[in-house]
């Protein structure tokens, strides 16, 4: 049996802005994370992944990095990072940091130097500057649209005040894309990797790992209307397609792979099983598996799984396809239901109208979820996920059953998506609201003050951790039980066998870890097998009748 920890790990995503605020300024910080590590140890996760805490103007919540090797004062200092890392390691929790290589902040010294330098200079060659089209260069170099809405190009102004070249940004204007064909860029990122590896991190989650290389000549491209903003599908459609869709010229170009091979050999110089995990929204799974070939990354996020609705047939298909695709290259499958870019699954799984990834939901969205149905399905879906072989990602707050915050006031929203689409897309703020720890404390114990960078819903007290920790029926207790059983029975390393004889609406499988897992995604109750011994249930089960939207683990 293999000992590589990441093949079966449960990795908990911390969104530092919203996890715990030690100094009371309304913004989470590293010292806050350190203080709350005992709760994560009690939950029973193996590792944490921290979204960016680096020096940043925070135009995209830290995914706009101005200095890759320092901590933004909002979150603390490098010493705070070292203290957090040491405390996590002392508690047996590994730490993965976010690497953002596709683009920097426009405040990065390199980009400032590029703006100050003339067209054709080495400074400009680290980014993607081009002359505009039209008689006076007044048109952007091509028709690409930013993930956040609006164009993918911004025109610069030369020192004498005249309009100059344009630069490319897949995301916000303040996030210029690096030119990864430039050796300067490659060398700088080797330095950044070493900086954090030398500090002792256990790996990197690689942001936009399908975006670094653009097709030669930057040809025009119009994406299909039904695509999600990061290149995936919609939240209500089965997340896998039979055939590869046409590859956009800014996603999933073959040239990215040599970069990851280079990084893999760099990581392999370090002891201790350090990992690279790709944030790559690539369809289909067979293609995504190229990111985790033996000499590339270790893991890739499985967004096909995340985008699969609570539908048994679709789940069986995506689970089989995931295991097969990743196994074909010797990698574990990963599984994920929520993160800081998608509608939380306690809301998403009960949406009744199509909702594209990245668009978010708000008060005027059609098909808003019934929160009771949503939480019930979320608990059932997580109970399926945590029995699957491979590695699972959790997103802070899902263990509390948090729904998406739908009613955020317009003037509180901060996602660039909201601004760049003039409010047409709500964006991702609703899944980023600071999480509740104590029902009766200001900001529900997020920090010592009542401040919170996004307003917390008035009815969140019952989600607070202190309300759930001693309640055996709480979502927190369900997660804690699932994680304990998963670990005790090595389910992450198990084999899955589908069980015949259940209806189309049922997900039923046996794991070599000793459990039969039955999830009812239909609308009718079913009978459980005679003599079934229920070890854990996502919602109450009586008289061996499994109600809709419920998953049980039975002793095999
Ligand atoms: C993916 C990150 O998860 C998202 O939050 C961010 O906005 C974009 N990449 C740009 O870095």
């Amino acid at each position: 049996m293999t000992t590589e920890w990441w093949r079966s790990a449960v990795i908990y995503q911390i969104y530092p802005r919203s996890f715990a605020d030690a100094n009371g300024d309304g913004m989470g910080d590293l010292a806050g994370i350190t203080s709350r590590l005992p709760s994560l140890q009690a939950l029973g996760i193996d590792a944490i992944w921290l979204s960016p805490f680096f020096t940043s103007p925070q135009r995209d919540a830290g995914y706009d990095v101005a200095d890759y090797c320092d901590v933004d004062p909002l979150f603390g200092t490098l010493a705070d990072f070292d203290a957090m890392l040491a405390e996590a390691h002392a508690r047996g929790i590994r730490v993965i940091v976010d690497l953002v290589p596709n683009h920097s902040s426009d405040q990065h010294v390199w980009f400032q130097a590029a703006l100050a330098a003339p067209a054709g200079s080495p400074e400009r060659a680290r980014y993607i500057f081009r002359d505009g089209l039209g008689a006076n260069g007044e048109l952007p170099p091509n028709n690409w649209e930013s993930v956040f809405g609006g164009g993918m190009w911004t025109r610069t102004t030369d020192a004498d005040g005249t309009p100059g070249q344009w630069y490319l940004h897949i995301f916000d204007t303040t996030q210029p894309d690096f030119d990864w064909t430039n050796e300067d860029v490659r060398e700088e990122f080797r330095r950044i990797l070493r900086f954090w590896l030398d500090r002792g991190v256990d790996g990197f989650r690689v942001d936009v790992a399908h975006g670094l290389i653009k097709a030669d000549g930057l040809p025009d491209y119009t994406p299909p209307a039904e695509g999600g903003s990061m290149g995936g599908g919609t939240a209500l459609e089965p997340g896998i397609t039979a055939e590869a869709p046409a590859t956009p010229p800014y996603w999933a170009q073959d040239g990215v792979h040599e970069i990851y091979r280079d990084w893999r050999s760099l990581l392999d110089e370090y002891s201790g099983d350090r990992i690279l995990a790709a944030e790559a929204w690539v369809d289909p799974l067979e293609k995504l598996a190229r990111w985790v070939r033996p000499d590339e990354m270790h893991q890739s996020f499985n967004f096909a799984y995340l985008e699969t609705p609570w539908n048994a047939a679709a789940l069986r298909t995506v689970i089989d396809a995931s295991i097969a695709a990743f196994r074909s290259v010797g990698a574990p499958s990963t599984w994920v239901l929520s993160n800081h870019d998608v509608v939380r699954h306690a809301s998403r799984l009960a949406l009744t109208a199509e909702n594209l990834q990245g668009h978010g939901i708000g008060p005027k969205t059609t098909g808003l979820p019934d929160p009771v149905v949503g939480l019930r399905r979320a608990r059932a879906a997580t109970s399926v996920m945590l029995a699957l072989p491979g590695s699972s990602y959790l997103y802070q707050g899902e263990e509390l059953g948090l729904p998406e915050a739908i009613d955020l006031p317009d003037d509180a929203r901060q996602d660039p998506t909201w601004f760049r689409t003039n409010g047409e897309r709500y964006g991702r703020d609703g899944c980023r609201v600071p999480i509740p720890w104590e029902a009766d404390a200001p900001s529900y114990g997020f920090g010592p003050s009542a401040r919170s960078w996004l307003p917390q819903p008035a009815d969140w007290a019952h989600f607070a951790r202190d309300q759930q920790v001693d309640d055996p029926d709480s979502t927190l207790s369900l997660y804690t039980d699932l994680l304990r059983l998963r670990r005790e029975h090595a389910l992450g390393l198990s084999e899955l066998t589908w069980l015949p004889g259940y209806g189309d609406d049922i997900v039923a499988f046996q794991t070599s870890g000793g459990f039969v897992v039955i999830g009812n995604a239909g609308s009718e109750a079913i009978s459980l097998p005679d003599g079934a011994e229920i070890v854990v249930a996502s919602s109450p089960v009586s008289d061996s009748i499994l109600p809709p939207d419920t998953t049980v683990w039975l002793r095999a």
Side-chain angles (χ1 to χ4, degrees):
M1 191 173 282
T2 174
T3 56
E4 290 165 317
W5 66 275
W6 45 271
R7 289 186 177 271
S8 58
V10 175
I11 304 177
Y12 180 98
Q13 180 188 358
I14 291 184
Y15 195 66
R17 301 172 69 92
S18 303
F19 186 69
D21 170 22
N23 66 4
D25 65 354
M27 178 65 65
D29 45 41
L30 292 168
I33 296 171
T34 309
S35 72
R36 295 293 193 179
L37 286 173
S39 301
L40 296 186
Q41 188 180 9
L43 176 61
I45 47 92
D46 301 296
I48 50 177
W49 145 41
L50 272 60
S51 280
F53 49 81
F54 316 107
T55 312
S56 163
Q58 305 289 325
R59 297 295 295 268
D60 183 23
Y63 282 95
D64 48 325
V65 181
D67 183 347
Y68 288 85
C69 296
D70 207 349
V71 171
D72 195 287
L74 268 182
F75 302 114
T77 63
L78 278 172
D80 292 331
F81 177 80
D82 292 340
M84 188 278 302
L85 184 67
E87 184 63 22
H89 282 168
R91 294 180 178 279
I93 298 172
R94 298 181 199 251
V95 178
I96 293 170
V97 297
D98 217 308
L99 186 76
V100 189
N102 180 68
H103 47 267
S104 70
S105 159
D106 62 349
Q107 300 306 307
H108 191 286
V109 284
W110 276 13
F111 192 72
Q112 289 299 310
L115 287 180
S121 61
E123 288 84 356
R124 288 211 169 177
R126 292 164 173 160
Y127 293 90
I128 303 177
F129 281 86
R130 293 288 184 277
D131 294 331
L133 304 179
N136 300 304
E138 72 280 11
L139 299 173
N142 68 24
N143 73 344
W144 296 358
E145 277 182 30
S146 158
V147 165
F148 292 158
M152 221 191 255
W153 296 90
T154 292
R155 196 167 193 187
T156 61
T157 305
D158 287 338
D160 63 3
T162 58
Q165 286 192 299
W166 299 70
Y167 65 89
L168 179 81
H169 49 88
I170 290 186
F171 298 93
D172 189 48
T173 313
T174 60
Q175 294 168 292
D177 280 42
F178 285 115
D179 184 345
W180 271 91
T181 65
N182 185 324
E183 182 55 28
D184 275 7
V185 174
R186 295 185 184 222
E187 191 51 34
E188 176 63 0
F189 273 87
R190 290 184 198 110
R191 185 183 76 86
I192 294 163
L193 287 167
R194 288 189 190 285
F195 177 87
W196 293 103
L197 290 166
D198 290 341
R199 282 201 117 75
V201 303
D202 298 289
F204 302 88
R205 174 265 191 191
V206 179
D207 191 62
V208 205
H210 56 321
L212 276 54
I213 297 288
K214 282 74 180 173
D216 283 345
L218 311 181
D220 276 354
Y221 173 76
T222 304
E226 72 278 10
S229 64
M230 290 288 287
T234 70
L236 285 184
E237 283 176 304
I240 49 170
T241 50
E243 287 175 24
T247 304
Y250 40 86
W251 294 143
Q253 302 297 305
D254 286 343
V256 299
H257 298 291
E258 67 178 25
I259 300 169
Y260 304 136
R261 291 195 187 99
D262 180 45
W263 293 1
R264 176 63 178 260
S265 58
L266 188 155
L267 258 70
D268 285 348
E269 291 170 26
Y270 286 79
S271 63
D273 244 352
R274 323 282 183 106
I275 71 162
L276 296 164
E279 188 227 9
W281 295 76
V282 174
D283 250 357
L285 283 153
E286 292 73 33
K287 185 167 185 190
L288 177 62
R290 293 184 203 156
W291 270 250
V292 287
R293 287 177 289 197
D295 59 348
E296 295 195 40
M297 300 210 194
H298 301 76
Q299 292 189 338
S300 180
F301 283 87
N302 186 347
F303 295 120
Y305 185 71
L306 183 150
E307 295 193 313
T308 303
W310 178 236
N311 170 294
L315 284 166
R316 285 190 296 266
T317 304
V318 74
I319 291 169
D320 272 342
S322 302
I323 293 173
F326 289 114
R327 179 173 288 162
S328 73
V329 291
S333 186
T334 65
W335 314 100
V336 60
L337 288 166
S338 280
N339 67 29
H340 66 294
D341 290 330
V342 302
V343 174
R344 282 184 176 278
H345 69 284
S347 298
R348 192 182 70 240
L349 296 179
L351 287 171
T352 59
E354 182 179 73
N355 184 260
L356 292 173
Q357 179 275 323
H359 290 209
I361 58 176
K364 295 185 188 148
T365 301
T366 46
L368 284 175
D370 175 330
V372 175
V373 175
L375 179 56
R376 192 177 166 89
R377 287 190 183 159
R379 290 170 56 120
T382 300
S383 302
V384 170
M385 178 177 84
L386 287 176
L388 295 174
S391 175
S392 282
Y393 279 82
L394 305 178
Y395 175 51
Q396 67 177 40
E398 68 169 85
E399 76 280 21
L400 305 175
L402 288 188
E404 189 83 353
I406 295 170
D407 291 318
L408 289 176
D410 288 358
D411 62 4
R413 292 190 183 270
Q414 307 208 15
D415 186 347
T417 305
W418 167 255
F419 299 105
R420 290 179 63 90
T421 62
N422 296 317
E424 192 189 308
R425 301 183 197 165
Y426 285 105
R428 303 158 297 171
D429 291 314
C431 63
R432 299 176 172 182
V433 171
I435 64 172
W437 295 86
E438 285 119 28
D440 294 328
S443 68
Y444 302 121
F446 163 61
S449 76
R451 296 173 67 190
S452 163
W453 70 279
L454 283 173
Q456 297 169 298
D459 60 353
W460 269 19
H462 68 286
F463 288 116
R465 190 166 304 244
D466 70 342
Q467 300 299 293
Q468 301 202 32
V469 73
D470 294 323
D471 173 0
D473 297 327
S474 71
T475 302
L476 180 62
S477 296
L478 174 67
Y479 271 70
T480 309
D481 290 346
L482 294 171
L483 290 171
R484 177 178 47 76
L485 291 164
R486 179 189 157 88
R487 189 173 48 253
E488 284 172 3
H489 295 263
L491 297 193
L493 299 173
S494 66
E495 292 288 327
L496 171 155
T497 312
W498 295 110
L499 295 175
Y502 290 88
D504 277 354
D505 290 337
I506 307 299
V507 180
F509 59 90
Q510 178 153 357
T511 78
S512 57
F515 295 108
V516 165
V517 176
I518 306 179
N520 184 352
S523 52
E524 307 286 330
I526 63 159
S527 298
L528 292 171
D530 286 344
E533 183 194 340
I534 297 175
V535 183
V536 58
S538 68
S539 290
V541 172
S542 53
D543 302 327
S544 284
I545 299 294
L546 183 68
D549 297 333
T550 304
T551 298
V552 286
W553 291 13
L554 309 177
R555 188 90 57 207

